[in-house]
Amino acid sequence: QKEVEQDPGPLSVPEGAIVSLNCTYSNSAFQYFMWYRQYSRKGPELLMYTYSSGNKEDGRFTAQVDKSSKYISLFIRDSQPSDSATYLCAMIKGAGSYQLTFGKGTKLSVIP
Amino acid sequence: DTAVSQTPKYLVTQMGNDKSIKCEQNLGHDTMYWYKQDSKKFLKIMFSYNNKELIINETVPNRFSPKSPDKAHLNLHINSLELGDSAVYFCASSPPPYFGPGTRLLVL
């Protein structure tokens, strides 16, 4: 079993829809959770960085962490065509750990 | 102001050549990384340096040699390039982890 599982999609939604992206993980040692957005031929762009269980909101983006279920989510409200990209979850095992472990990424298309 | 920058952006070279990719960060971070993204878009760590010291060295051919002259720089030198080295190489620094724009390497 891979340490981080992420459905690669592709996921296609109409403009204005709420998008839900998810990752599960198997190792309870993961403490820090990140979501990245990667446009084609660009570097991953950090969207959200969270530590504790619960929700963190930034504009149209909400990151949710449930450590008891080993499950993290990214919600995008009022999705726009410019949100079309690959979304990657990533995790770090805690203070003193330096290695990010990535999911495989979910490709999202928002159709006008 | 670019946080993590890499040069060159594109690198096309012949098999057997030696090439270097440079990375600089202006975020004051202590930790820097090199990642490789393959054709299936999966990001795999190659190396990590913390305060100029090698922390992570994944199973990478020893033709790849990182070098950190100071905390703000982490360069990657590749000897005897092979076709299979063609990929996108990303530099990153943390915490939290920010990535550079990538270097697209094509070995012919």
Side-chain angles (χ1 to χ4, degrees), chain A residues 14-36:
Chain A
E15 183 175 353
I18 296 175
V19 176
S20 172
L21 303 163
N22 311 294
C23 287
T24 59
Y25 60 98
S26 57
N27 194 331
S28 58
F30 286 122
Q31 298 295 320
Y32 297 88
F33 305 91
M34 286 135 288
W35 284 97
Y36 289 87

Side-chain angles (χ1 to χ4, degrees), chain A residues 29-32 51 91-99:
Chain A
F30 286 122
Q31 298 295 320
Y32 297 88
Y51 170 70
M91 307 179 187
I92 298 177
K93 284 179 185 167
S97 173
Y98 301 95
Q99 183 166 347

Side-chain angles (χ1 to χ4, degrees), chain A residues 28-111:
Chain A
S28 58
F30 286 122
Q31 298 295 320
Y32 297 88
F33 305 91
M34 286 135 288
W35 284 97
Y36 289 87
R37 177 175 62 196
Q38 187 174 24
Y39 291 115
S40 182
R41 306 182 75 78
K42 297 287 186 187
E45 175 192 357
L46 181 63
L47 288 176
M48 302 291 273
Y49 178 59
T50 58
Y51 170 70
S52 53
S53 280
N55 293 354
K56 181 177 180 179
E57 197 172 308
D58 185 359
R60 295 185 296 111
F61 298 91
T62 299
Q64 196 172 76
V65 174
D66 183 348
K67 287 186 178 179
S68 61
S69 303
K70 298 192 185 69
Y71 188 87
I72 68 170
S73 300
L74 179 71
F75 298 97
I76 308 174
R77 288 185 298 281
D78 187 24
S79 56
Q80 303 295 309
S82 58
D83 295 327
S84 299
T86 296
Y87 289 81
L88 300 133
C89 65
M91 307 179 187
I92 298 177
K93 284 179 185 167
S97 173
Y98 301 95
Q99 183 166 347
L100 279 87
T101 301
F102 278 92
K104 288 200 167 183
T106 300
K107 188 167 183 179
L108 171 68
S109 294
V110 180
I111 312 300

